[in-house]
Amino acid sequence: MMKEIYQVPTSQSLQGDVIISGAKNAVLPLMAATLLCRGISIINNVPQLDDVNTMAEVLRYLGAKVEHQNSSLTIDTRECDGYQAPYHLVTKMRASIYVLGPLLARLGQASVALPGGCAWGPRPVDLHIAGMQALSAKVELSHGNIHAHAGRLQGADFTFSISSVGATVNLLLASVLADGTTRLFNAAIEPEIDNLVDQLNAMGAQIFGKGTSTLVIEGVTELKAATIDAIPDRIEAGTYLIAGAITQGKVTVKQVQPAHLTALIDSLTATGTLICCEDDSITIDAQQRALQPISIKTGPYPLFATDLQPQWMALCVSLTGVSQVTDTIYPDRFQHVAELCRLGANIRVKGNTACIIGTPNLSGAPVKASDLRAGAALILAGLIASDYTEISDIHHLDRGYQNLIGKFATLGATIKRSHHPVATNQAIAAPLLSLCG
Ligand code: EPZ
């Protein structure tokens, strides 16, 4: 049996420019929104990622025609009458649940497999369901599926007990065709939500309060297809900025919106790096600078993003001194800790806080990516660990980082991807992917 893997040997300080792709977490809701109309929708600035392909599979399963050329998606929903999103697709990607709202709104019924947990614990969808019920849908859970029915959804007030990106997406997608006014309180204000509001309003929706936690939606009877550009991927950009810091290099991320990364920029500046922002680029300069680890606490946007927490931990691990990383969004999001410790890190986790005693002397070892961002953290740690770091289960990284090898190569780190035989009777011998310094 063969397994694909990345190998990361020690790398020099990264130097250069990297172009950031469109945001995975913006594109997925934009794709689901096309189910609200019968027409041909266009989404631009779409990255080539496994998660985008999975959402395309879900839409095709529902009857849509989906074409992905260069960085544009053409989605034809004129013949789209399916209302079931099956387990084999939903289990590949939780965001498949985003079809619940638009199917219920346009067809009056939806049957969507319940997404299971993920690497770091249960991720309930109770707010998605409670929101649909608030809009008068009848929802039943059976045999691992959410079965929802409604005549025309009825506008209503709904307050999110927790700020949830996914539930805000689903409620927006459901309420735009509802009868009457819907008011969403404590809605998520992530930039990906604003991108979706722009698309829906371009389709003819009536949504007010963009960028605030109170969204008011005046239901309409019909929506038309539209064209929308996806915003840049702030998490991909943040990953490369932290790569610049951890290797004490000088990196510019291009085609980004610096305003989407204020919390990260403030924390990187506090470590001692120099940050320079232009209209659509951010440069980090960490060359010959004595950096110090800085504690962070994640939170809903615009606070420090939980999707940059593992990468930040990799940086703190590499700097002399003590720091803490607290995750208030996912208290259990620490699967990367044991793998970083395999590289020689000194980390103790208590509750939702990891206490890090930094050491610049990491050494390469075989490690495993437990999820997308944990995988990114292991790549970053591998860039400064001695010898080779061999990362397996890299399929997680394919879900959210486009052309990872090519982009690191533009910064001076040569990563290769290779197949490696898996010893059947021994622990996975960690297929290698060689990176020549
Ligand atoms: C989105 O997930 C992102 N995924 C995640 O990024 C990101 O980590 C997360 O938002 C937080 O920023 C996509 O956009 C596809 P939530 P989502 O609903 O929508 C709780 C990545 O690496 N909650 O905002 O699933 C939940 O358990 C991924 O790109 C409920 O309790 O996150 C969590 O503690 C990983 N009930 C909190 O709310 C619900 O019904 C925030 O979750 C829904 C959520």
Side-chain angles (χ1 to χ4, degrees):
M1 192 173 87
M2 299 298 275
K3 195 168 179 88
E4 277 203 301
I5 209 142
Y6 284 140
Q7 180 189 28
V8 187
T10 318
S11 179
Q12 308 309 319
S13 72
L14 298 187
Q15 305 283 332
D17 302 349
V18 57
I19 305 239
I20 298 303
S21 305
K24 164 182 82 78
N25 292 348
V27 167
L28 300 177
L30 299 176
M31 292 175 75
T34 64
L35 292 169
L36 287 163
C37 68
R38 284 188 185 279
I40 300 178
S41 304
I42 309 280
I43 305 174
N44 296 317
N45 198 24
V46 176
Q48 297 282 354
L49 297 172
D50 285 2
D51 276 7
V52 171
N53 299 338
T54 302
M55 186 60 91
E57 270 186 81
V58 173
L59 297 183
R60 289 191 189 101
Y61 191 92
L62 295 167
K65 296 190 184 65
V66 183
E67 271 181 51
H68 191 170
Q69 272 167 343
N70 304 326
S71 62
S72 282
L73 274 172
T74 304
I75 303 176
D76 181 348
T77 52
R78 291 174 294 177
E79 310 296 323
C80 211
D81 293 311
Y83 65 92
Q84 295 169 304
Y87 179 68
H88 73 277
L89 291 175
V90 176
T91 191
K92 275 168 77 173
M93 181 184 69
R94 300 175 49 74
S96 311
I97 196 168
Y98 292 164
V99 302
L100 177 66
L103 291 176
L104 204 43
R106 188 163 70 78
L107 301 173
Q109 63 173 331
S111 178
V112 179
L114 259 175
C118 78
W120 62 80
R123 292 176 62 187
V125 292
D126 55 316
L127 293 171
H128 299 243
I129 293 168
M132 298 306 154
Q133 290 168 325
L135 298 179
S136 77
K138 298 274 171 294
V139 181
E140 185 210 331
L141 303 186
S142 71
H143 306 298
N145 289 308
I146 303 167
H147 301 289
H149 297 274
R152 185 175 177 198
L153 291 171
Q154 299 300 307
D157 287 357
F158 184 76
T159 302
F160 296 96
S161 54
I162 299 172
S163 169
S164 158
V165 175
T168 301
V169 166
N170 239 328
L171 263 290
L172 271 172
L173 293 173
S175 58
V176 283
L177 288 175
D179 183 8
T181 306
T182 296
R183 294 185 304 171
L184 301 178
F185 299 102
N186 192 30
I189 60 170
E190 269 68 3
E192 295 76 22
I193 298 289
D194 290 355
N195 205 179
L196 177 63
V197 169
D198 288 342
Q199 181 199 31
L200 292 170
N201 281 343
M203 294 171 73
Q206 299 279 312
I207 306 172
F208 308 94
K210 185 180 94 171
T212 76
S213 60
T214 300
L215 295 170
V216 178
I217 304 102
E218 297 299 343
V220 296
T221 53
E222 198 180 12
L223 293 169
K224 61 185 186 332
T227 296
I228 187 85
D229 295 348
I231 58 173
D233 194 322
R234 61 195 168 98
I235 306 299
E236 183 194 26
T239 302
Y240 286 106
L241 288 172
I242 297 173
I246 205 169
T247 60
Q248 303 235 254
K250 183 173 183 181
V251 166
T252 298
V253 292
K254 294 195 157 182
Q255 297 183 14
V256 293
Q257 294 185 27
H260 291 170
L261 285 157
T262 49
L264 176 68
I265 290 169
D266 293 348
S267 300
L268 283 168
T269 305
T271 66
T273 66
L274 283 180
I275 299 273
C276 171
C277 294
E278 308 282 346
D279 290 351
D280 67 350
S281 73
I282 306 170
T283 298
I284 183 167
D285 186 349
Q287 301 173 104
Q288 282 99 39
R289 302 184 71 85
L291 304 186
Q292 52 161 345
I294 294 292
S295 299
I296 57 110
K297 181 185 273 190
T298 71
Y301 186 85
L303 300 176
F304 198 101
T306 174
D307 293 345
L308 287 171
Q309 179 258 95
Q311 301 92 315
W312 190 261
M313 190 183 289
L315 174 62
C316 291
V317 156
S318 74
L319 300 175
T320 306
V322 178
S323 57
Q324 292 195 332
V325 166
T326 300
D327 202 315
T328 69
I329 303 286
Y330 299 115
D332 320 319
R333 191 176 195 168
F334 292 116
Q335 272 57 38
H336 43 287
V337 168
E339 300 305 304
L340 288 170
C341 289
R342 286 182 51 71
L343 301 175
N346 183 346
I347 309 169
R348 297 274 176 285
V349 177
K350 197 155 180 290
N352 68 340
T353 295
C355 181
I356 302 141
I357 301 169
T359 161
N361 307 317
L362 297 182
S363 57
V367 289
K368 196 180 276 190
S370 54
D371 60 82
L372 170 58
R373 310 305 173 182
L378 296 175
I379 294 239
L380 299 187
L383 292 170
I384 48 130
S386 63
D387 306 321
Y388 288 96
T389 296
E390 302 147 358
I391 308 172
S392 57
D393 288 4
I394 57 174
H395 56 277
H396 290 295
L397 285 151
D398 297 338
R399 296 185 55 180
Y401 289 97
Q402 173 170 270
N403 185 22
L404 188 137
I405 291 179
K407 292 191 180 190
F408 270 109
T410 62
L411 301 175
T414 49
I415 300 177
K416 288 195 190 114
R417 183 176 180 130
S418 63
H419 291 80
H420 192 77
V422 176
T424 46
N425 58 2
Q426 303 167 311
I428 290 180
L432 296 178
L433 143 205
S434 66
L435 177 170
C436 351

